[in-house]
Amino acid sequence: MFEPDIEKMSLSDIRELQRERLAKMVKYSYENVPMYKKRFDDAGISPDSIKSLDDVSKIPFAVKDDLRQHYPYGILAVPLERIVRLHASSGTTGKPTVVTYTQKDMDTWNRLMARSYAAAGVTSGDIVQNAYGYGLFTGGLGFHYGAELLGAMVIPTSTGNTKKQLMMLKDMQSTVLACTPSYALYLTEAAANEGYDPLNDFNLKVGMFGAEPWSDEVRKRIQEGLGIRAHDVFGMSELYGPGVAIECTEQNGLHIWSDEFLVETIDPETGEVLPEGERGELVFTMLTREAMPLLRYRTRDLAVVNYEECGCGRCHPRIMRIRGRSDDMLIVGGVNVFPSQIEHVLMNIDGVGDQYLIVVDRAILDVLQVRVEVAPDFFKSADYDAARFAKLMESELQAVLTIRARVELMEPGALPRSEGKAQRVLDLRKQ
Ligand SMILES: [Zn+2]
């Protein structure tokens, strides 16, 4: 463990620390950020009324749009001179979402990342090949400085240039790969095409994969393809970046670093706090953020939080795997469908390749359309019967999703590959 005193805290000690920090943070936000002062005043609550952890539910939610509305520096709680870093996430429309950090925020974020690496079994002796994008996106620098703080060696390859990535994996004998899960999947495929045998040519042991939801089936393919243990990393730029929660070596849920984040699960429709163990939208309160406090920030991510002690000895609550974002949910023929459910079904069928694309078209919204690549070996084999294979997939999809599906088979390599976040849904309604 990187910070055993904090990582081994009991749940009751964590809660006591959270209570103290929450009260301080609420007062700090009220006194230093006009947006919070106005919201508290409008809601008729004073910072003094937030005493217990349950009182957090009295605080109005913060949402992504708050950051856009206060673009660029509106939620700052400190003078601009005290800011040492700025990141921004790309906005699909208009201005990006800007996040800022004081030196103390940077130190906290880097510690959380170092802890996350250590929880995944990474040590100071490891060589981390960091294929997250360096730049305004928090992935590159987040994974970079956390690894350095741990004492590991970092190779900052950044995204893209797949041939060079593969060469570095072999020549430098990198032991840890940090990138999006879809890129890890692509690297396994590209390695074979370039004549590498990952299990013999590479020395990889651990994967640190985040920034997009991925299924257990994709995990299995990456683990087997690269000979690694693949860890899910959760974060978002609004909450520092990556390193909010990490899957430990038990690979059974992602520990939320709860000395820094207070998590709630809410009903995404009504905003009501749900009882422990129920699936809902994750809401985070940052407990020590100095530059840009965020109270009750709605993530749109849907998951269950588990408060039981983990086999690794940590009591920091765990996010059981994220099923998808409420924003990603498709309604097909009146039924709610998550892309991750479709991935789950497809990746369990022998002969299905690693790439698929869900197509949403207004004209045929009652039918699910999926383009699926066939695995190269199966495509070449004598057993391959396209019509029969498509029918099999359609019936498996219908059995799980309860809606009709139309599968279009693609040759291996036909669908576009991504070096960052994968595009799994093509929404023709937006074009
Ligand atoms: Zn654990």
Side-chain angles (χ1 to χ4, degrees):
M1 291 187 191
F2 182 70
E3 292 179 294
D5 291 353
I6 299 170
E7 293 180 49
K8 278 199 239 168
M9 279 175 108
S10 69
L11 188 58
S12 62
D13 286 351
I14 290 172
R15 285 189 163 139
E16 182 51 30
L17 180 66
Q18 287 182 324
R19 199 188 55 76
E20 281 167 31
R21 288 186 164 175
L22 175 67
K24 254 194 227 166
M25 179 46 74
V26 166
K27 193 160 178 288
Y28 175 79
S29 306
Y30 183 84
E31 288 170 355
N32 294 289
V33 183
M35 179 185 89
Y36 287 117
K37 180 173 187 323
K38 183 171 185 314
R39 285 198 182 163
F40 273 65
D41 291 347
D42 288 352
I45 45 173
S46 81
D48 295 335
S49 63
I50 310 299
K51 292 194 172 71
S52 73
L53 282 181
D54 289 342
D55 288 337
V56 73
S57 64
K58 297 177 187 167
I59 302 172
F61 291 116
V63 293
K64 191 164 188 141
D65 200 45
D66 291 329
L67 276 73
R68 285 196 203 103
Q69 300 224 350
H70 293 83
Y71 176 87
Y73 297 129
I75 304 184
L76 271 196
V78 298
L80 204 52
E81 304 90 84
R82 290 199 49 214
I83 300 299
V84 301
R85 177 84 71 78
L86 179 147
H87 280 285
S89 62
S90 54
T92 40
T93 50
K95 301 282 192 191
T97 308
V98 171
V99 288
T100 50
Y101 309 72
T102 62
Q103 186 57 54
K104 181 170 162 280
D105 293 334
M106 286 308 311
D107 294 344
T108 304
W109 181 23
N110 293 337
R111 278 194 299 108
L112 295 180
M113 272 311 300
R115 258 191 228 171
S116 300
Y117 275 114
V122 179
T123 69
S124 59
D126 276 303
I127 301 172
V128 179
Q129 185 158 327
N130 185 10
Y132 281 105
Y134 281 66
L136 286 174
F137 171 56
T138 49
L141 293 180
F143 278 91
H144 183 103
Y145 285 109
E148 283 192 357
L149 183 61
L150 183 67
M153 177 174 128
V154 186
I155 306 177
T157 49
S158 195
T159 48
N161 210 340
T162 300
K163 281 186 184 168
K164 188 176 267 176
Q165 300 276 7
L166 294 168
M167 185 187 81
M168 299 293 253
L169 283 174
K170 178 165 191 245
D171 293 354
M172 306 306 152
Q173 291 289 289
S174 311
T175 55
V176 178
L177 175 65
C179 61
T180 58
S182 53
Y183 190 56
L185 200 55
Y186 176 50
L187 276 175
T188 56
E189 175 190 70
N193 292 341
E194 294 293 322
Y196 293 97
D197 171 8
L199 302 188
N200 285 309
D201 293 336
F202 302 161
N203 192 27
L204 283 173
K205 295 183 177 77
V206 172
M208 300 285 282
F209 304 131
E212 59 187 16
W214 47 306
S215 65
D216 280 330
E217 288 68 33
V218 164
R219 181 212 294 271
K220 201 165 154 251
R221 287 180 182 216
I222 298 172
Q223 293 195 148
E224 284 170 6
L226 294 176
I228 58 172
R229 198 174 57 238
H231 290 261
D232 198 356
V233 190
F234 172 80
M236 50 177 54
S237 64
E238 299 93 309
L239 309 172
Y240 293 130
V244 174
I246 178 72
E247 205 170 39
C248 66
T249 49
E250 300 282 315
Q251 292 184 298
N252 185 19
L254 290 78
H255 290 284
I256 304 162
W257 297 124
S258 299
D259 51 319
E260 295 292 340
F261 302 98
L262 174 62
V263 70
E264 298 167 86
T265 318
I266 64 160
D267 180 325
E269 304 293 326
T270 65
E272 244 171 273
V273 178
L274 297 172
E276 277 183 15
E278 276 189 31
R279 178 180 299 280
E281 179 182 342
L282 301 179
V283 172
F284 284 89
T285 295
M286 302 183 80
L287 294 170
T288 72
R289 181 78 167 272
E290 209 174 38
M292 206 188 84
L294 277 182
L295 306 179
R296 300 197 89 203
Y297 187 70
R298 292 187 62 161
T299 62
R300 318 301 295 177
D301 283 317
L302 304 174
V304 173
V305 177
N306 181 334
Y307 290 83
E308 287 163 22
E309 184 176 346
C310 176
C312 72
R314 292 178 184 85
C315 298
H316 291 252
R318 281 167 288 160
I319 302 171
M320 304 321 276
R321 274 170 86 79
I322 290 171
R323 182 183 186 187
R325 315 203 71 193
S326 50
D327 300 350
D328 295 340
M329 192 179 76
L330 306 168
I331 301 176
V332 184
V335 175
N336 297 347
V337 176
F338 286 94
S340 55
Q341 288 177 291
I342 297 167
E343 178 172 299
H344 179 85
V345 173
L346 294 177
M347 297 287 151
N348 262 323
I349 301 173
D350 282 343
V352 171
D354 294 337
Q355 306 293 330
Y356 66 94
L357 185 68
I358 301 158
V359 183
V360 182
D361 186 344
R362 184 185 294 279
I364 29 180
L365 214 52
D366 57 334
V367 183
L368 181 72
Q369 299 182 78
V370 196
R371 295 177 191 159
V372 186
E373 268 188 28
V374 183
D377 290 349
F378 185 52
F379 191 73
K380 281 180 262 166
S381 81
D383 294 339
Y384 178 60
D385 174 340
R388 213 170 61 193
F389 196 42
K391 249 203 177 66
L392 168 74
M393 265 184 256
E394 285 169 356
S395 72
E396 296 270 330
L397 284 166
Q398 180 155 24
V400 173
L401 306 173
T402 70
I403 47 165
R404 281 196 301 141
R406 204 173 66 202
V407 169
E408 191 183 335
L409 292 177
M410 313 287 285
E411 287 186 20
L415 287 170
R417 266 65 173 158
S418 144
E419 289 170 345
K421 295 190 191 193
Q423 192 198 11
R424 299 297 193 200
V425 179
L426 176 64
D427 196 341
L428 298 173
R429 295 170 301 175
K430 290 178 184 160
Q431 290 176 356

